[in-house]
Amino acid sequence: MDRVERRNWLAAEFEARYGAQPTLWARAPGRVDLMGSHTDYNEGWILTMTIDRDAWIAARPRSDEVVQIHSLNLGESGRFVLGAIEHSRQTPWLDYVSGVAKVLQEAGFTLCGFDGVLHTTVPLGGGLSSSAALEMATARLLERMCRLPLDSVTLARLAQRAENEFVGVGCGILDQYTSAVGRAGCALLLDARQLSSRDVPISSGLQVMVCDTRAQRTLSGTEYAERRAQCEEGVRRIQRMAAGVSALRDVGVEAFDTYAAGLPPVIARRCRFIVEENARALAMETALRQGDCARLGQLWAASYAGACELYELCVPAMAQMMAAMRAAPGFIAGRQAGAGFGGCMVALVHPAESALFAQHVQQQYHQSSGLHPAIYAVSPAPGANLLDPHDVFPVDS
Ligand code: GLA
């Protein structure tokens, strides 16, 4: 389905449900990280990029406090009242929408209700930030509909707060920031402490491929919280050995060697991964700017090895996917994506061989795992913005 067909479909569904045409269209993309696993909540660096898969909300403001929204992906409708927002047990996805509305109101903004139709092309729950895309599309929609004086970074922080405090997932800022700030054609080097980033163009000699293991990510919630707590414990212990450390971001690779012996082995492994991954995110910027494929391959191999051996976020399906990626034509580099524990992986390949790469990985991974993966090319798309329904291309960013 192309963008025009998608627009027509949403408009028709909107009209059928609400008896009028939508007046405002917001969209926000998913993301894939190219370096910097779990560094965001350690106030570190991440090389991240938006993908050309996004959530769209077609909407029309109402004169009351009611929000009604229908998900075309799930065939479900949800409803809430702005003045009385509670969790939705029947339609949990609605919490991403109502959670954003709730934090905006708590921040002192007055909102109006709306009717909406939602459709997303970000695979649900695969580690490509389907939830952040929905949060940011909602945030951007409300910002415009209610004329809120909020910039992209502030919207991203509020969306993260919605996920932390209302949805109850203790994620960092990576997903919402990328979805809010990303640019077409560019990756971002995100500084998660300063909440700022610089654009890093992706060379036309590199194609980013998502390799979705389609393996269940059931443990990711608990394991994620445990890793986060282990990093915090590492910081508390390092603070007893060194002044001026408020997060693992403050610890360099060499300095870490002097602290490691004073840490319990598991904590030392977790912290070492973060410290090294931060250094790799910075090195990645240079390698990407120079299009240095050999260096990219080394950095990604080290990231994946650390993710498996030190941070222990790999599952057998990820190893099977990695083996399939490494053996495929056009392969330059491969690593984990998102939180790990299943879900998607990511590869850099020579563009001319991306179709062959996909075919090969598909076959080999299916043979070794019995699962049916999804292998596809992605390109960096604009961050969350409004769509002009007449040409359905983003009108601004
Ligand atoms: C998830 C979280 C992010 C980040 C990544 C791991 O996607 O939502 O905040 O921590 O995992 O890098």
Side-chain angles (χ1 to χ4, degrees):
M1 185 171 30
D2 67 21
R3 293 167 73 87
V4 173
E5 289 165 347
R6 194 176 172 199
R7 185 267 319 267
N8 292 345
W9 180 40
L10 264 75
E13 292 283 344
F14 191 100
E15 173 113 39
R17 283 198 160 68
Y18 307 115
Q21 280 292 304
T23 54
L24 210 54
W25 297 66
R27 63 163 281 284
R31 67 97 192 88
V32 65
D33 51 305
L34 305 181
M35 189 59 80
S37 294
H38 294 260
T39 48
D40 64 343
Y41 54 80
N42 288 295
E43 298 184 23
W45 286 275
I46 308 95
L47 211 302
T48 176
M49 115 184 177
T50 48
I51 58 173
D52 47 351
R53 301 263 176 146
D54 52 11
W56 285 16
I57 302 176
R60 190 178 180 93
R62 296 172 55 108
S63 52
D64 59 14
E65 285 216 311
V66 172
V67 172
Q68 304 191 94
I69 186 157
H70 180 77
S71 161
L72 291 175
N73 296 85
L74 301 173
E76 293 174 357
S77 298
R79 182 183 190 278
F80 61 90
V81 178
L82 288 167
I85 292 178
E86 284 172 13
H87 291 101
S88 172
R89 271 189 215 97
Q90 279 167 353
T91 50
W93 55 271
L94 189 64
D95 286 1
Y96 297 106
V97 177
S98 60
V100 168
K102 190 168 169 43
V103 295
L104 282 167
Q105 293 183 111
E106 283 166 3
F109 299 107
T110 304
L111 305 180
C112 62
F114 66 90
D115 294 329
V117 165
L118 157 72
H119 177 248
T120 187
T121 54
V122 187
L124 302 179
L128 299 175
S129 295
S130 52
S131 20
L134 176 50
E135 288 158 3
M136 287 314 306
T138 304
R140 185 57 84 196
L141 177 76
L142 290 170
E143 176 248 330
R144 290 303 165 92
M145 194 178 270
C146 311
R147 298 179 200 287
L148 311 178
L150 293 169
D151 61 28
S152 300
V153 177
T154 311
L155 282 178
R157 293 178 69 161
L158 289 164
Q160 182 203 9
R161 191 184 303 164
E163 183 140 355
N164 292 165
E165 293 174 9
F166 187 68
V167 179
V169 175
C171 63
I173 191 68
L174 169 64
D175 308 345
Q176 292 80 9
Y177 186 99
T178 311
S179 183
V181 177
R183 293 248 323 265
C186 282
L188 304 174
L189 181 68
L190 163 62
D191 179 335
R193 171 173 282 171
Q194 303 298 336
L195 286 190
S196 63
S197 56
R198 50 181 183 258
D199 296 345
V200 185
I202 302 223
S203 133
S204 58
L206 293 173
Q207 177 62 59
V208 180
M209 304 287 294
V210 163
C211 301
D212 187 345
T213 64
R214 296 265 175 88
Q216 286 288 340
R217 294 175 67 226
T218 41
L219 276 178
S220 63
T222 37
E223 296 282 347
Y224 187 92
E226 187 184 278
R227 296 296 181 283
R228 199 172 172 152
Q230 288 167 332
C231 291
E232 286 161 8
E233 185 184 340
V235 170
R236 280 194 298 276
R237 287 174 180 265
I238 291 171
Q239 282 170 337
R240 289 184 219 137
M241 300 181 244
V245 172
S246 63
L248 287 176
R249 139 74 166 261
D250 299 312
V251 183
V253 177
E254 280 172 25
F256 182 74
D257 286 337
T258 63
Y259 309 137
L263 300 174
V266 177
I267 304 294
R269 287 205 299 278
R270 304 295 189 250
C271 293
R272 179 177 295 284
F273 174 70
I274 297 300
V275 166
E276 292 179 351
E277 190 77 347
N278 269 330
R280 282 190 289 265
L282 294 172
M284 180 69 194
E285 181 191 11
T286 315
L288 209 49
R289 284 189 192 283
Q290 295 172 345
D292 182 344
C293 291
R295 181 80 178 126
L296 291 171
Q298 285 164 359
L299 289 168
W300 281 35
S303 176
Y304 177 69
C308 295
E309 289 154 24
L310 300 175
Y311 222 65
E312 296 179 89
L313 54 69
C314 297
V315 297
M318 291 170 67
Q320 287 158 340
M321 181 60 83
M322 194 66 201
M325 295 192 304
R326 280 185 174 144
F331 175 82
I332 296 169
R335 66 186 285 280
Q336 67 285 355
F341 305 103
C344 289
M345 299 187 69
V346 57
L348 296 175
V349 307
H350 293 295
E353 288 179 289
S354 55
L356 262 184
F357 173 89
Q359 205 182 12
H360 180 104
V361 174
Q362 187 92 30
Q363 279 168 3
Q364 181 174 330
Y365 177 78
H366 177 61
Q367 265 167 21
S368 58
S369 70
L371 297 169
H372 291 281
I375 315 293
Y376 49 90
V378 287
S379 318
N385 55 12
L386 292 193
L387 286 168
D388 178 343
H390 300 297
D391 66 10
V392 293
F393 290 107
V395 286
D396 61 2
S397 48

